[in-house]
Amino acid sequence: GISFKEITNYSNECNRRIKFENMKLFPDALPLIKKLKGKFLLTTLANVPDSVAHEKVLRTTSLKEHFHFHFDSITTGTRKPNKKIFRLVLNHFKVKPIEAVMVGDSPSADIRGGNNLGMHTILINRNGIKYSFTELTKPDFEISSLKQLPKVLKKLENKSK
């Protein structure tokens, strides 16, 4: 096995090598996030090697200020698709799964986790990957750009009325 100290040292070395200042968001991300923040409760939910890296990504990309809250696998003690991390988010915002939407790029972590609890799920598939979905990894909607997200959210909103 690998000791906790070895894992920590490896994680710290990876963080030193990552050029956080070169990280950039997709062009469609920030304008949409700013628009949605006024209408929806937004959170990040990330499987990360350590909280320091997550914090650096949030600061470097200017995402930190545009979300209501940030959750990660280190501070919550669990990783997506575990139901526990999704329940923590739902409980924090006091919403039911059917009132929440999981938007993510990983069928096995994001979509499966959302589907496990009965959340609406939207897969962002920027590269047009042909996934072999299972019942648990199949999203309710699949989009190739965040520009498509408002239209899908409107459909969900109309469906719930």
Side-chain angles (χ1 to χ4, degrees):
I2 300 173
S3 72
F4 181 74
K5 184 178 180 181
E6 289 173 306
I7 292 170
T8 302
N9 289 341
Y10 177 75
S11 178
N12 290 338
E13 180 60 28
C14 288
N15 281 337
R16 279 192 289 279
R17 291 180 184 196
I18 295 172
K19 302 283 188 220
F20 287 99
E21 63 276 4
N22 294 335
M23 295 186 114
K24 292 190 175 28
L25 295 174
F26 286 99
D28 58 354
L30 201 52
L32 180 68
I33 291 165
K34 287 178 180 179
K35 184 178 173 183
L36 294 179
K37 186 176 182 185
K39 191 170 181 182
F40 300 99
L41 295 171
L42 302 178
T43 186
T44 60
L45 179 57
N47 285 344
V48 294
D50 65 69
S51 292
V52 173
H54 188 218
E55 181 69 26
K56 283 182 183 178
V57 168
L58 292 171
R59 274 198 323 262
T60 302
T61 58
S62 302
L63 286 177
K64 187 169 179 74
E65 65 201 65
H66 298 291
F67 285 82
H68 295 96
F69 207 81
H70 304 279
F71 292 86
D72 68 61
S73 54
I74 299 300
T75 55
T76 62
T78 186
R79 298 176 60 80
K80 298 180 287 182
N82 190 303
K83 288 181 181 182
K84 181 181 172 190
I85 195 168
F86 288 87
R87 281 194 187 112
L88 287 168
V89 174
L90 295 171
N91 290 341
H92 177 83
F93 289 110
K94 296 177 176 53
V95 297
K96 297 174 185 139
I98 196 69
E99 300 170 323
V101 179
M102 176 63 198
V103 179
D105 62 1
S106 170
S108 62
D110 302 321
I111 305 307
R112 182 180 187 150
N115 284 342
N116 276 337
L117 285 176
M119 297 169 68
H120 299 287
T121 54
I122 303 171
L123 177 68
I124 180 148
N125 185 357
R126 293 184 185 274
N127 298 316
I129 297 168
K130 301 292 183 211
Y131 290 105
S132 296
F133 296 118
T134 65
E135 188 176 328
L136 279 177
T137 63
K138 184 175 179 13
D140 297 321
F141 297 92
E142 186 172 342
I143 59 177
S144 60
S145 166
L146 286 176
K147 289 178 183 177
Q148 297 167 293
L149 188 58
K151 189 175 181 179
V152 173
L153 292 174
K154 190 71 172 162
K155 281 183 187 178
L156 287 172
E157 205 171 42
N158 291 338
K159 192 176 171 182
S160 69
K161 288 181 181 179

